[in-house]
Amino acid sequence: MDIKQIQELIKFVSRSGVNEVAIEQKDFKITIKTNQTPTVITTTVPAQAVAPQVLPSAPAVQPVAVTANNNAAAEADDSKYITIKSPMIGTFYRSSSPDKPSFVNVGDEVTAGKVICIIEAMKLFNEIESEVSGRIVKVLVDNSSPVEYDQPLFLVEPM
């Protein structure tokens, strides 16, 4: 990764509203953290693979019992679906341009290799293809929203 790519990544992170981005490659690791204050960059060259750091989060608010039961039922219901996750950080787009129709909608059938969305990362538009065949049950991300690596994008009912 050269300095120009790092600068573009910093600009992207500051515009997207993401608080932290970490990228690891074979012999290179970069972490960019923001809190609406100056961006901090940490780079290291690890001798071995480094396990991802777990950062402390804000204390979670305990839901009421009725909500917890509803969430448990929803999670159990979603377990029969396959989750298509983001392979990278970037901005999620459902269509190739604002005046074009969405690649997929709820109820559409997809096959492995079909383009289902675009993720823009550092001014590059990456077509994301489905790795499974099935029917789109739910779109989990709003159009033009920032997404993280491994963030769920779609729920698919397998065929």
Side-chain angles (χ1 to χ4, degrees), residues 84-134:
I84 297 177
K85 297 180 179 181
S86 176
M88 63 185 66
I89 63 166
T91 304
F92 172 85
Y93 294 105
R94 293 188 62 192
S95 62
S96 58
S97 67
D99 57 332
K100 302 274 180 162
S102 296
F103 290 110
V104 293
N105 292 304
V106 173
D108 289 354
E109 290 189 5
V110 295
T111 57
K114 179 180 180 182
V115 175
I116 54 174
C117 66
I118 291 178
I119 296 182
E120 176 191 4
M122 297 192 324
K123 306 216 185 260
L124 295 175
F125 292 87
N126 303 282
E127 291 184 341
I128 307 303
E129 298 177 352
S130 175
E131 296 177 358
V132 297
S133 296

Side-chain angles (χ1 to χ4, degrees), residues 74-88:
E75 287 178 17
D77 187 40
D78 289 348
S79 65
K80 65 183 178 184
Y81 302 128
I82 297 171
T83 303
I84 297 177
K85 297 180 179 181
S86 176
M88 63 185 66

Side-chain angles (χ1 to χ4, degrees), residues 6-15 18-21 30-42:
I6 293 171
Q7 290 172 338
E8 287 180 26
L9 184 59
I10 292 169
K11 287 177 188 175
F12 171 76
V13 170
S14 66
R15 280 184 275 131
V18 176
N19 288 336
E20 180 178 346
V21 174
I30 183 168
T31 303
I32 301 173
K33 298 178 183 180
T34 64
N35 284 334
Q36 304 305 341
T37 57
T39 302
V40 176
I41 301 176
T42 308

